Amino acid sequence: MAKKKSPRIARPAAAPDEVAAAYHRTEKDIEALPKDQVGRVNADVPTAVSLALGALPAIESLRGALEAALKHPPLAEIARLQDRALAALYAHLHHAPKVTVNEADLEEARVQRERLLASADAHVAHGQLDRDAIAAVREGQGHLDRANDLIALAALFRGVWSELEGHTQVTEAQLDRATILGTTLVAALGAKELGTGPATGGTSWSDRRNRAFRLLMNDYDEIRWAVEYVRRHEEDAASYAPPLYLNQRSRPRKPDETDAQREEGGGSLVGNG
């Protein structure tokens, strides 16, 4: 069994104007998704977006292998993955309850970020976390970057938690708090920059969030199955396309498996209802 590599990460909402543009490019697909295929979100959207965007460069590096090995490689899904991810985030920020950011929350975010970075450095030295990912986090400036960094760092640690648990100063409670605080601040700060408002056209932001996230998961699932196939011998598919929900089961598609069967057994992030 190959050693599990830490997932790549990216700030989910570092450029609000890009987030809004991605949503508007995706809006027709969001509205067109049949109601019986929508489901509901039961995962942390900013964390999932951080993982999807972080995985994109590695996924794109496999284009040649995917085209060579598969009759129907997910090239369209790869091409629109960034838009799908950012559109889901945009809808999430509109859907999230509006909160007021205070100085205590911002200071806690600063302290939490520095503590996680200090621990991350030790794990980088032992080859357990990705050096480039940690360096990218350090480049962030400002409150929104700091909030995004908390989400990304928590996702990074959780991606290799089975190896780190019991061998790190970081606790699961600390990761939970980093995710909650980061998500809350992203919702507040990102919503402020995006100028969020009420939904129009009779569709609630809750419904749009569910639809946008379903589109992201539909495409990402197709990409993951393809990556797992072409990297099956190396057993490192998760280092290219990690589950967006870190408890999500990872298994390759069976040759004769239908989409319905795969949906039933694949551990999707979006439930029915």
Side-chain angles (χ1 to χ4, degrees):
M1 179 70 67
K3 183 178 179 180
K4 187 175 183 180
K5 298 180 181 178
S6 63
R8 297 164 178 86
I9 53 175
R11 293 188 186 92
D17 56 341
E18 185 179 355
V19 176
Y23 178 85
H24 293 305
R25 287 192 294 267
T26 312
E27 191 168 15
K28 287 184 179 180
D29 290 342
I30 291 171
E31 298 292 342
L33 189 68
K35 185 176 180 179
D36 62 356
Q37 296 180 21
V38 175
R40 57 180 174 79
V41 176
N42 60 359
D44 183 76
V45 174
T47 298
V49 171
S50 177
L51 287 164
L53 295 177
L56 185 54
I59 292 169
E60 289 180 332
S61 74
L62 292 177
R63 277 178 178 269
L66 294 170
E67 289 184 87
L70 300 171
K71 184 177 180 180
H72 300 291
L75 300 183
E77 288 84 351
I78 294 172
R80 66 191 177 213
L81 180 60
Q82 178 168 311
D83 274 1
R84 291 289 202 243
L86 293 180
L89 181 65
Y90 182 89
H92 172 77
L93 293 179
H94 279 73
H95 163 77
K98 304 303 178 284
V99 298
T100 301
V101 177
N102 57 55
E103 290 299 322
D105 290 333
L106 296 175
E107 176 60 15
E108 183 186 356
R110 184 192 68 79
V111 172
Q112 289 275 17
R113 177 180 179 274
E114 291 306 313
R115 288 176 177 172
L116 288 173
L117 281 171
S119 295
D121 285 339
H123 295 298
V124 166
H126 289 86
Q128 296 163 314
L129 291 179
D130 183 74
R131 184 181 302 275
D132 292 339
I134 300 304
V137 168
R138 280 202 160 85
E139 295 174 358
Q141 297 180 353
H143 295 311
L144 183 56
D145 272 359
R146 191 172 295 154
N148 276 288
D149 290 343
L150 288 179
I151 296 168
L153 285 166
L156 189 65
F157 273 95
R158 290 191 187 282
V160 290
W161 190 246
S162 61
E163 294 182 16
L164 297 185
E165 188 175 15
H167 305 282
T168 181
Q169 293 184 330
V170 176
T171 66
E172 286 193 88
Q174 187 178 359
L175 297 180
D176 288 343
R177 179 56 184 161
T179 299
I180 292 171
L181 181 59
T183 299
T184 299
L185 291 177
V186 163
L189 298 169
K192 182 179 179 181
E193 293 195 35
L194 289 170
T196 59
T200 59
T203 305
S204 70
W205 278 115
S206 177
D207 184 50
R208 293 184 188 188
R209 173 178 177 258
N210 292 343
R211 289 170 174 271
F213 199 76
R214 168 56 78 181
L215 288 179
L216 169 61
M217 286 308 305
N218 285 349
D219 279 3
Y220 196 76
D221 278 350
E222 289 299 320
I223 293 168
R224 283 190 67 225
W225 296 120
V227 170
E228 287 188 357
Y229 179 77
V230 300
R231 301 299 297 179
R232 64 193 184 282
H233 297 304
E234 293 81 0
E235 299 183 321
D236 62 355
S239 68
Y240 288 87
L244 300 190
Y245 181 54
L246 292 173
N247 290 327
Q248 184 178 1
R249 183 168 48 166
S250 177
R251 63 175 178 83
R253 181 204 296 265
K254 297 176 182 178
D256 58 348
E257 185 178 32
T258 67
D259 287 341
Q261 290 169 330
R262 186 191 61 174
E263 183 74 13
E264 181 178 356
S268 176
L269 286 173
V270 186
N272 294 323

